Amino acid sequence: MAVILGEESLLVPLLYSLPSTIGALNITMGYSSKNNPAQILIAKLFKMHTNALSRNAKSYVLYYKDVLDILTHPLVEPYAKTNSLVNVINQNNYTFITHQKLMELNPNTSDLFILLFQKWEKGSMAVLETISNLLQTIKSNLNNDNEEEKISKAFVYAIFKTINKLINYYSQHSNIDDIQTLYTIYKQVIELAEVSFEGEPLNGLQIMGVLESRVLDFETVIITSMNEGNLPAGKSQNSFIPYDVKKELGLPTFKEKDAIYTYHFYHLLQRAKNIYLIYNTESEGLDAGEKSRFITQLEVEKQPKHTLTHEIYNAVLPEIAYQPMVIPKSEAVMLRLKEIAENGFSPSALTSYIRNPIDFYFQKILRISEVEEVEENIALNTLGTIIHETLEALYTPFIGKFLSESDILGCFKLLDAEVLKQFKLVYKEGEIKKGRNLLAFEVAKRNVSNFLKFEQESIKNGDAIKILHLEKGCERILEHPSLPFPIKIAGKVDRIEERNGIIRIIDYKTGKVEKTNVTLKSWKGLTEEIKNDKIIQVLAYAYMFENEANDKPIEAGIISFKNLKSGFLPFSFKEGKEETTEINSAILNNYLEQMVLLLNEILDKEKPFEEKIK
């Protein structure tokens, strides 16, 4: 059996789509070296090292994306044993890494790792020799018994031959010694290089181009890309010499090329018993066009013993573009839900379920966390963490006492150093001295400074503020006749204070929050819409802290750093013209009724986790 590729670029997609039943395989065609895996690795190496040289030749600073591109390349990752290094770079936010630091982070270096990250400081010849040694090391890692690795080996060998040609060239022209020039020459040479594959020509599936099929006979022939412009190619020759001039001077034209392809096409068909001619029926779009004149010719000049059939294959298009996930609750899921109930449902877990039950399933049931990546620019949640941690550090000395103006003035003096310290702790090795991260650093300082001014103004206006708790872990057991078992509600409150005799439970938000976000007009449907997430959260904190309030009035709400002029935004229940901000037993009872409905839905074995389409 032979597969004849009308377009040679289809080779790699064909190899990936071959069924596992295909045993022996022989590829008899040249394939461009330009986009093979080994060439892509060399191109990435050039990019990483030239960037390092142009950035700072003395300290040789590498950009993390360039490093990770190399370490995660399929020809490197299985053999370099650098998974721990990749994790360290991601976890510590190393954006730019000096060569020395990279070597320190990976003390158990392999020969492959050293060749990849060896400094390119000794000229073009040294670089070419390093790449040549690298390709030999990669080739020795590949297994001959594995068909896929045999193909990779052919790709590596093709680049190896090209590099050796360049070594010979540079040995005669040592005056050309610029790495950028070397890369330009390499790109031009690689355009012309081809990969040759080894195989068994007398056994198994034969994959070849049209010209490679000459004077060969097969029982079964599959020919792809049977569209005009591919087979035959037609007027596709690139030449500065016009057709008429070629004709007059007896030079070969596209007609001669078409004649050659015509001969090979009919010779392939001559002794074949089963022939499959594949073409794109669409007249417009990618790889489209009229069907080949060769097919039309076979139809018009039909022979008595020829049996022609036409079959059209279409991609299966589902009626619905995306089917939402529905995951039933198994026994294992129910056991995990009971475990969560014993350890504590947090307000954020409950709002996660309201937002999308599938997110809750992944995060809380399966415990799948997000993949850790380098945070090149400070994310909003990281900025929020830094502001929270800074405020906790500044206010911790005042827990249990009333705040004074001098206390706030002392916080102002510590502000810059504390923000910098928290940046280092949270953002680790990330760059904060320039660019967007410097702006984020200044935003964090400005937010904390504005908050301190807000506090200072409150004290001047006569408010008696006593800090009771910071980042307090709270919990409370919720028991209800309709619940299958007692459920713990647990969470961490940013700040609890006593202000003018009223207990105030505060949640900091770095995003913008308006008063409408914490105002409720009806209890019905509280847990059905995500817009009520902040209300659910602050009322959960009030419920957890109720027993420690010693019968003092409680308010719970939010301080939004993007809306500081509005000050503390307490939860309020508005019924008609009446509005109350005090969280009394009636409000908590109504709240708990809604929470019981939500928890019963989460714990209902018959109700699966259904994805909400965003």
Side-chain angles (χ1 to χ4, degrees):
M1 179 190 285
V3 176
I4 312 298
L5 299 179
E7 279 190 279
E8 293 187 354
S9 60
L10 292 176
L11 176 61
V12 172
L14 172 66
L15 292 174
Y16 277 106
S17 57
L18 288 175
S20 56
T21 50
I22 298 292
L25 176 70
N26 181 42
I27 302 167
T28 315
M29 61 184 289
Y31 184 75
S32 171
S33 294
K34 187 180 177 183
N35 292 318
N36 82 57
Q39 200 291 116
I40 291 168
L41 175 62
I42 302 305
K44 287 180 175 180
L45 269 178
F46 269 105
K47 182 185 174 189
M48 180 180 75
H49 286 288
T50 50
N51 284 348
L53 287 166
S54 61
R55 194 173 289 115
N56 191 330
K58 287 183 180 178
S59 56
Y60 215 82
V61 180
L62 304 164
Y63 182 44
Y64 84 97
K65 280 187 180 177
D66 295 340
V67 173
L68 294 183
D69 275 351
I70 300 292
L71 294 178
T72 56
H73 190 279
L75 291 175
V76 173
E77 190 174 22
Y79 315 106
K81 298 174 183 175
T82 54
N83 287 341
S84 59
L85 174 60
V86 172
N87 291 335
V88 167
I89 291 171
N90 286 328
Q91 289 167 4
N92 291 284
N93 285 318
Y94 284 107
T95 309
F96 292 99
I97 316 164
T98 63
H99 186 271
Q100 183 183 347
K101 187 69 178 177
L102 187 68
M103 293 301 166
E104 287 172 8
L105 292 174
N106 191 42
N108 303 318
T109 52
S110 61
D111 291 341
L112 179 60
F113 183 85
I114 290 168
L115 288 167
L116 287 167
F117 295 100
Q118 186 174 309
K119 290 184 181 182
W120 287 12
E121 296 177 318
K122 297 178 182 177
S124 300
M125 187 58 112
V127 168
L128 290 169
E129 286 172 353
T130 300
I131 295 173
S132 178
N133 293 333
L134 171 67
L135 291 169
Q136 288 183 71
T137 305
I138 291 171
K139 190 169 181 282
S140 66
N141 287 331
L142 298 171
N143 189 350
N144 261 335
D145 299 332
N146 184 307
E147 202 64 45
E148 196 174 313
E149 291 199 2
K150 276 175 75 177
I151 292 168
S152 295
K153 217 168 193 177
F155 284 140
V156 172
Y157 184 61
I159 306 302
F160 176 73
K161 288 194 294 184
T162 303
I163 294 297
N164 279 354
K165 282 181 184 177
L166 283 173
I167 288 173
N168 291 333
Y169 174 81
Y170 266 84
S171 64
Q172 299 168 34
H173 303 86
S174 56
N175 55 316
I176 306 172
D177 206 27
D178 179 63
I179 303 298
Q180 200 64 52
T181 307
L182 170 63
Y183 186 42
T184 304
I185 295 169
Y186 167 79
K187 284 192 290 185
Q188 290 178 349
V189 173
I190 209 72
E191 289 274 353
L192 305 172
E194 287 197 338
V195 182
S196 300
F197 299 95
E198 294 178 8
E200 176 49 64
L202 302 176
N203 187 28
L205 177 67
Q206 306 292 311
I207 299 173
M208 55 185 67
V210 178
L211 295 177
E212 285 79 14
S213 69
R214 51 182 172 260
V215 302
L216 295 175
D217 296 318
F218 302 95
E219 272 198 16
T220 302
V221 175
I222 302 169
I223 307 178
T224 69
S225 307
M226 289 289 295
N227 285 86
E228 283 292 317
N230 290 329
L231 199 63
K235 299 178 184 180
S236 61
Q237 273 187 320
N238 295 321
S239 175
F240 289 112
I241 305 172
Y243 172 79
D244 294 338
V245 175
K246 286 184 176 181
K247 194 77 177 169
E248 180 64 29
L249 298 175
L251 296 172
T253 66
F254 68 87
K255 288 188 176 182
E256 282 74 21
K257 187 179 178 182
D258 280 2
I260 293 167
Y261 275 80
T262 305
Y263 173 78
H264 291 315
F265 174 75
Y266 279 103
H267 190 280
L268 270 171
L269 271 53
Q270 191 174 7
R271 293 182 180 85
K273 293 178 181 176
N274 302 300
I275 301 157
Y276 300 88
L277 306 177
I278 301 168
Y279 66 95
N280 189 352
T281 56
E282 297 295 318
S283 58
E284 295 179 358
L286 194 67
D287 293 331
E290 293 294 323
K291 70 179 177 183
S292 173
R293 71 190 80 160
F294 294 161
I295 297 175
T296 307
Q297 204 166 350
L298 289 171
E299 291 171 338
V300 172
E301 299 173 357
K302 186 178 180 298
Q303 301 300 308
K305 291 186 178 180
H306 286 183
T307 304
L308 302 181
T309 59
H310 293 265
E311 292 184 39
I312 295 176
Y313 291 92
N314 292 313
V316 178
L317 295 173
E319 292 180 11
I320 300 171
Y322 179 75
Q323 193 71 37
M325 278 190 279
V326 177
I327 298 171
K329 290 171 183 167
S330 63
E331 288 299 325
V333 170
M334 295 308 295
L335 283 171
R336 173 64 186 143
L337 284 169
K338 190 169 185 181
E339 184 187 334
I340 295 170
E342 288 170 359
N343 294 329
F345 273 97
S346 66
S348 61
L350 297 172
T351 54
S352 167
Y353 180 86
I354 297 166
R355 185 178 290 105
N356 194 342
I358 289 297
D359 289 345
F360 176 87
Y361 174 75
F362 287 141
Q363 293 167 11
K364 303 300 176 184
I365 306 297
L366 299 183
R367 289 175 271 204
I368 297 173
S369 56
E370 290 184 9
V371 176
E372 200 151 6
E373 294 179 341
V374 171
E375 200 177 304
E376 192 173 346
N377 293 313
I378 294 168
L380 291 176
N381 60 335
T382 304
L383 186 64
T385 303
I386 290 164
I387 292 170
H388 277 64
E389 297 292 335
T390 302
L391 286 172
E392 183 188 3
L394 292 175
Y395 277 95
T396 296
F398 312 121
I399 292 175
K401 60 173 280 191
F402 284 97
L403 289 175
S404 66
E405 281 191 68
S406 61
D407 293 333
I408 303 298
L409 289 171
C411 289
F412 274 116
K413 291 175 185 176
L414 300 171
L415 174 60
D416 286 15
E418 193 57 49
V419 172
L420 182 60
K421 179 184 172 184
Q422 296 304 328
F423 258 91
K424 290 291 183 185
L425 289 172
V426 176
Y427 198 51
K428 297 176 182 172
E429 299 293 331
E431 175 62 63
I432 60 168
K433 293 180 182 176
K434 58 187 176 185
R436 291 171 65 180
N437 289 350
L438 178 59
L439 293 175
F441 178 71
E442 293 300 327
V443 166
K445 286 201 298 185
R446 176 66 62 86
N447 279 340
V448 177
S449 176
N450 287 344
F451 179 79
L452 292 174
K453 287 176 186 174
F454 172 72
E455 291 272 83
Q456 192 177 32
E457 197 64 33
S458 298
I459 295 167
K460 277 183 182 177
N461 292 335
D463 283 353
I465 306 168
K466 184 181 182 181
I467 305 291
L468 300 178
H469 303 282
L470 294 169
E471 299 295 329
K472 178 176 172 58
C474 297
E475 57 182 53
R476 187 172 176 183
I477 302 297
L478 173 59
E479 295 182 89
H480 194 274
S482 68
L483 290 172
F485 42 76
I487 293 170
K488 184 193 284 186
I489 307 295
K492 190 178 277 189
V493 186
D494 290 337
R495 170 167 158 167
I496 301 172
E497 65 179 35
E498 184 182 326
R499 184 175 295 234
N500 303 330
I502 298 172
I503 300 294
R504 188 177 273 189
I505 298 168
I506 300 169
D507 187 45
Y508 299 135
K509 297 289 183 193
T510 46
K512 189 165 186 176
V513 181
E514 304 281 359
K515 182 163 175 56
T516 52
N517 300 130
V518 285
T519 301
L520 189 66
K521 293 180 181 178
S522 170
W523 291 104
K524 190 177 179 182
L526 173 71
T527 60
E528 291 173 10
E529 294 186 67
I530 194 60
K531 69 176 185 180
N532 297 323
D533 61 337
K534 293 170 183 65
I535 294 172
I536 292 167
Q537 196 171 3
V538 296
L539 287 179
Y541 295 146
Y543 168 69
M544 289 186 276
F545 193 72
E546 184 189 21
N547 293 335
E548 295 181 53
N550 298 323
D551 295 326
K552 289 181 181 176
I554 299 173
E555 289 182 345
I558 285 166
I559 288 179
S560 166
F561 288 98
K562 281 194 176 177
N563 189 18
L564 260 181
K565 65 178 185 296
S566 299
F568 176 66
L569 301 168
F571 161 78
S572 62
F573 184 70
K574 195 172 183 180
E575 198 168 19
K577 291 184 179 180
E578 290 185 21
E579 185 174 359
T580 178
T581 59
E582 185 183 332
I583 299 171
N584 51 37
S585 56
I587 283 176
L588 284 178
N589 287 336
N590 284 320
Y591 170 69
L592 290 177
E593 279 182 27
Q594 297 299 314
M595 296 311 294
V596 166
L597 290 173
L598 176 64
L599 288 164
N600 271 321
E601 183 182 318
I602 294 172
L603 300 171
D604 184 357
K605 190 177 181 181
E606 303 306 315
K607 185 169 178 60
F609 293 108
E610 292 186 46
E611 184 179 12
K612 287 184 182 177
I613 301 297
K614 295 172 184 177

